[in-house]
Amino acid sequence: MVIVMNIDASEKQISEITNLLTSLGLGYHISRGEEKIVIGVIGDKRKLDGKAIEMMEGVEKVIPIVDPYKLASRIFKPEPTIVKVGDIEIGGKNIVIMAGPCAVESREQLFESAMAVKRAGAHFLRGGAYKPRTSPYSFQGLEEEGLKMLSEARELTGLKIVTEVMDVHSVEKVAEYADVLQIGARNMQNFSLLKAVGRMNKPVLLKRGLAATLEEWLSAAEYILNEGNKDVILCERGIRTFETYTRNTLDLSAVPAIKKLSHLPIIVDPSHGTGRWHLVPSMAKAAVAAGADGLIIEVHPDPKNALSDGPQSLTPDNFESLVKELKIIAEAVGRELA
Amino acid sequence: MVIVMNIDASEKQISEITNLLTSLGLGYHISRGEEKIVIGVIGDKRKLDGKAIEMMEGVEKVIPIVDPYKLASRIFKPEPTIVKVGDIEIGGKNIVIMAGPCAVESREQLFESAMAVKRAGAHFLRGGAYKPRTSPYSFQGLEEEGLKMLSEARELTGLKIVTEVMDVHSVEKVAEYADVLQIGARNMQNFSLLKAVGRMNKPVLLKRGLAATLEEWLSAAEYILNEGNKDVILCERGIRTFETYTRNTLDLSAVPAIKKLSHLPIIVDPSHGTGRWHLVPSMAKAAVAAGADGLIIEVHPDPKNALSDGPQSLTPDNFESLVKELKIIAEAVGRELA
Amino acid sequence: MVIVMNIDASEKQISEITNLLTSLGLGYHISRGEEKIVIGVIGDKRKLDGKAIEMMEGVEKVIPIVDPYKLASRIFKPEPTIVKVGDIEIGGKNIVIMAGPCAVESREQLFESAMAVKRAGAHFLRGGAYKPRTSPYSFQGLEEEGLKMLSEARELTGLKIVTEVMDVHSVEKVAEYADVLQIGARNMQNFSLLKAVGRMNKPVLLKRGLAATLEEWLSAAEYILNEGNKDVILCERGIRTFETYTRNTLDLSAVPAIKKLSHLPIIVDPSHGTGRWHLVPSMAKAAVAAGADGLIIEVHPDPKNALSDGPQSLTPDNFESLVKELKIIAEAVGRELA
Amino acid sequence: MVIVMNIDASEKQISEITNLLTSLGLGYHISRGEEKIVIGVIGDKRKLDGKAIEMMEGVEKVIPIVDPYKLASRIFKPEPTIVKVGDIEIGGKNIVIMAGPCAVESREQLFESAMAVKRAGAHFLRGGAYKPRTSPYSFQGLEEEGLKMLSEARELTGLKIVTEVMDVHSVEKVAEYADVLQIGARNMQNFSLLKAVGRMNKPVLLKRGLAATLEEWLSAAEYILNEGNKDVILCERGIRTFETYTRNTLDLSAVPAIKKLSHLPIIVDPSHGTGRWHLVPSMAKAAVAAGADGLIIEVHPDPKNALSDGPQSLTPDNFESLVKELKIIAEAVGRELA
């Protein structure tokens, strides 16, 4: 921690701070510049938790130096984490594809989607049984019924299942059926839910919040890791900006940035990231080129009649063509898509 | 709903849309301009739920006309809602002041704060027993112990209690102790939690999400209203922008905008809205001048030693001076602060 | 400047940095924490201009301590600057009101506006002769003809004139007619233009850029001050966020923040800041309560027929009522509106 | 244009609008829904310029249907524009690479950079002679001296030259030396400058503004096209968001979106887009995978000693490796990099 004071801070103001530091067993060093006085603090900064040094007289600002997360950090664990779901590895050489409808709507719709995405080369089936919707009057999902259908679709196709869990009440139920528990963007800082999935023995797909910084996102992952669950997969899904043509602004620079800051695998959701199906193939290819470990893509057998998010869903045919293109890009960056 | 098509859309493409509308029992009218063809849809737009008209050939965009919320809307209920908490009215002529520490830290800290804010003229004591914190290593709150202290502080001072509820598990417990249930910004779209507090018989203070539009905020209120709880108080607490000098950007234009769009009362949180105590008095006065129905302000007997959010807390003395100034502003805009 | 290195940086990496500092005549101090190594640099940081220390091995980040502006800073000049335009003072006890149409459209429209705002109590007439418009097909202004009309309106009413200058070519011409030169939001970082108005002997009204931080805004003011023109008035006019109900998000916290960071006067433009005339009165009152030194408000004798920005213009009657309310607020915060 | 009215609008309010439309020679159609009344306007909407229908009684909002740009639109000109600079085509099958230092600092630095990027396979040399800098105390460029050096570097290497023009005064001078005139992000809405380069006979590289929507960006291009200059190249360079780890957020979805909305070629600047050299290679590859027509990348022979933007510059070696990787990606998406 670095404390910046105005050059005209009095000796009394400075010694009030240094006395506080000393009383807490912390060391310090004072640099007097031409415009500012800088006090570098040495020792365990946790001793300063809750000391509002910004409010002490003469202090201009306090700059934290240490990251708020530790277990999620690449410095803490330099080698990349590979999350295993059965025989599938996320974060290894292979690019993992998760695909399926936004919401589970019916057995027929789900099975048709599942078989189509399986045929095209997907590894996971996605589909929401519990749906977080902006309006209470929109379709809210089939709930446990939907979970059962997902489980049947797994039997049918061998695909792994990733599906969202929306609250602490339903964590155990969703975990009964799913292979990977998804935390949605709107729940990225639902800390009770993060702790609850952190206590489960299932991998967690943690979507980035609509207005979350990388630091907040990794701190959210830290909540899960800190409860003992080491299998966290990050998912970039677009952030909110002033641009209105796209539903969100897909921040692909998050991919190489997370690779530098953390050891956790990261996948990309170009469907929510853009909100327009015709932008999805370009952004899916860009994500793989940027170094993503996988993709999660909305595919619906009949997007025009989807109960949720139709405009951003690919048809099975579009999806099949895309997977072929993705294989070529994967190889071009030294990865595989098997 | 208005459907915009390219001027070069074929008759077949147009008739595919009009056939769909007719089959759903919806009327329509076609306007052919020089650059666009516009189809106005007449009838209950819910019949179009899940029809992704954006994906139909020739369609450029679909523009919704009707708001996604209804019970929260001023058109639905033109007269303003006044939420009553005992003998205190929120949304009436009187400006309501809620004040207290960010977190309940100890009986001593809480009681000292409570007596100070009571003396200065506050109507409510605020204080978190459950704290949503970015990092799992930060102070997480005293939980039920904290709730009990809040309840004791109410006995002591007669102040009403507003405190945050973080998950569906603890709604009933928090409701036992609190007079008003607070939903934090990070949970504004935790729809399970919104439904849960919507089923309680307690007023709800709904903070605006960090990146929530007014439409999404009112739709979140709709979740609560739709479960039968009519007592929703909105709270503007700053949105996330590129500016870094302030912790958030306090959007005071939300006050007159909400007054126009909705009948619900709205208060302002200048402490989280700015993150800097020295900006709080100016923004508190501005909020009242803009038409806010109340304020929620962090006050700590010893901000330098607060376990949470010290830099944005006022001292009891600062707070007392501020309340005096607020009375003058309230009168200047035809309100009262009693 | 503070240099943060990873805890596993080698001694060689550290000495490469300290050798560089020494070679430039700079002092330093090294603090070795548990997770980071921090090097505080002592001396004139300008010696490090263009040394990309971030790129040196082992360096994680470089944190600047000193602000990029100096003449605009409150530390450099603690007493507030009062800009005098004839007998009118901006930044003193009196709240200054600038009002008039967005664009000068005709002699009749301008004179009618001028007389109306004069009667209501305005000190300045605003009105664009050169208009920056998003589309080349929108009305671009009457240019010199418009300047002449503004000058005639001054004769007629005694109001001072503030009008926008859009490029380096027309600075001298605009200065012939105007009392205050306005730099628009889109030109806030048109550095050639800033230097050009900095060489004039006329006060400058510098609007905040649509996505400008306070630091960038004050640095833009620094360009003007640095050329010798000390009379800079800042104008907050809303920043761009994800919210779409308002045209911009008016950042009133900029008012007390600028008052802390700088000695320059600051006024507020609630018309562009909201884009909706029915929000203007509330935000104008809030601005004065927040401590603004003045307001610039669009008033049009017939807003429905304005050639530009009608929806955000007040009628003369609305404006007159507003000025009366503003007087009361001004007094409530210890100011005057004469 | 679509006019939305409240369901409780009176017949008088409706007829005031329809009378206005009729008086202007415009047709209309009224749809009465359950919650709103919608008036679709038929005819040349320019007749409504400056009629603030939003302000008429009973009107809730006015929704424009037609885009503000025309010459830049894909509907106006369906086939892609290929900008030719000598024998180089931008917007064709070949991916074009522009590279070089942020600023021209010296003959030696420039020539070394030029030879290195030429050797690695670049087609253009970039380098600023006039530098827009946030602070007036930062290096402002070598001006005409720098232009001469760029011209010499062209002689030496055969590379084309792209360099920034900052104001209307220097357009002719820069055009004497440069092959492509660059308009920087901060000048994207400097309309005087856009008109000035629109009258030149040189291609223009138009960078996206820091907070510009796609619509505003294409409208800025329209200013240039409307003056007669058809050779506009768009350049995505990152937008401003709340994220602070990266200098900007590179919006790669702009690439396929622009391809859909416009016929103009688009290139990407991953150096300014991220502000961190170690993110540049990933984002450069992603840009090509997303469909960009080219890249503009900062390369400096000695980034640690660059006078501007060192932290985002690649070394010649890094750049050479990157170009090799880009060739593979280009082929993977059916393009070439020759």
Side-chain angles (χ1 to χ4, degrees), chain A residues 86-131:
Chain A
D87 56 341
I88 297 174
E89 292 189 346
I90 304 169
K93 195 178 184 190
N94 204 47
I95 304 292
V96 174
I97 308 288
M98 306 179 178
C102 181
V104 178
E105 297 168 16
S106 70
R107 184 168 272 106
E108 188 186 20
Q109 168 250 22
L110 186 67
F111 289 5
E112 200 181 327
S113 303
M115 287 184 297
V117 303
K118 168 75 181 176
R119 204 163 42 233
H123 310 96
F124 273 78
L125 176 65
R126 60 149 293 151
Y130 299 88
K131 295 301 306 169

Side-chain angles (χ1 to χ4, degrees), chain D residues 142-162:
Chain D
L142 297 180
E143 308 193 349
E144 191 164 4
E145 186 96 5
L147 293 174
K148 285 180 187 160
M149 291 178 193
L150 285 165
S151 174
E152 291 175 54
R154 173 173 45 203
E155 300 275 309
L156 187 71
T157 58
L159 291 166
K160 305 292 178 198
I161 302 299
V162 55

Side-chain angles (χ1 to χ4, degrees), chain C residues 50 52 137 167 192 222-223 304 306, chain D residues 50 52 133 137 192 222 304 306:
Chain C
Y137 309 123
D167 57 49
S192 304
E222 189 84 3
Y223 265 92
K304 288 174 206 165
Chain D
R133 301 300 298 276
Y137 310 123
S192 304
E222 191 83 2
K304 287 173 206 165

Side-chain angles (χ1 to χ4, degrees), chain A residues 50 52 133 137 222-223 304 306, chain B residues 50 52 133 137 192 222-223 304 306:
Chain A
R133 301 299 297 276
Y137 309 122
E222 190 84 3
Y223 265 93
K304 288 175 206 162
Chain B
R133 302 299 299 274
Y137 309 123
S192 303
E222 189 84 4
Y223 265 93
K304 289 174 205 164

Side-chain angles (χ1 to χ4, degrees), chain A residues 189-190, chain B residues 164-166 183-190 193-194:
Chain A
Q189 290 192 317
N190 180 335
Chain B
E164 178 160 355
V165 53
M166 274 182 64
I183 302 291
R186 285 164 184 75
N187 276 321
M188 192 203 84
Q189 291 193 315
N190 180 337
L193 183 58
L194 296 176

Side-chain angles (χ1 to χ4, degrees), chain A residues 159-333:
Chain A
L159 291 167
K160 305 294 177 195
I161 302 299
V162 55
T163 196
E164 180 160 353
V165 53
M166 274 182 63
D167 58 48
V168 290
H169 270 158
S170 45
V171 168
E172 303 229 343
K173 183 168 291 167
V174 175
E176 264 180 58
Y177 296 96
D179 297 297
V180 171
L181 303 171
Q182 179 180 317
I183 302 291
R186 285 166 184 74
N187 277 320
M188 192 203 85
Q189 290 192 317
N190 180 335
F191 300 114
S192 304
L193 184 56
L194 295 176
K195 287 179 186 172
V197 299
R199 287 187 293 264
M200 302 301 290
N201 193 18
K202 284 269 156 126
V204 177
L205 184 74
L206 178 65
K207 289 200 152 191
R208 182 179 182 181
L210 279 77
T213 61
L214 300 183
E215 189 173 291
E216 288 170 332
W217 192 13
L218 289 172
S219 298
E222 190 84 3
Y223 265 93
I224 302 170
L225 298 169
N226 192 42
E227 295 289 329
N229 189 342
K230 300 303 174 214
D231 289 335
V232 176
I233 306 152
L234 300 169
C235 179
E236 161 65 29
R237 47 78 70 206
I239 56 173
R240 190 154 276 188
T241 70
F242 57 83
E243 179 57 67
T244 55
Y245 182 78
T246 44
R247 182 171 172 181
N248 295 289
T249 296
L250 190 67
D251 177 13
L252 286 185
S253 68
V255 173
I258 287 289
K259 290 280 173 201
K260 184 162 181 78
L261 296 170
S262 177
H263 52 86
L264 296 172
I266 177 168
I267 71 168
V268 170
D269 177 348
S271 306
H272 286 88
T274 63
R276 289 179 177 255
W277 69 270
H278 60 82
L279 302 178
V280 169
S282 297
M283 296 313 283
K285 288 185 275 181
V288 171
D293 296 308
L295 292 162
I296 182 162
I297 295 175
E298 289 192 6
V299 178
H300 194 284
D302 181 11
K304 288 175 206 162
N305 286 305
L307 290 179
S308 170
D309 282 347
Q312 68 194 33
S313 297
L314 296 186
T315 61
D317 283 357
N318 291 154
F319 177 66
E320 204 175 331
S321 308
L322 173 57
V323 175
K324 281 179 193 149
E325 293 188 87
L326 289 172
K327 278 184 209 227
I328 303 172
I329 302 282
E331 279 163 32
V333 292

Side-chain angles (χ1 to χ4, degrees), chain D residues 260-272:
Chain D
K260 186 164 180 75
L261 296 170
S262 177
H263 52 86
L264 296 171
I266 176 168
I267 70 167
V268 170
D269 177 349
S271 305
H272 286 89

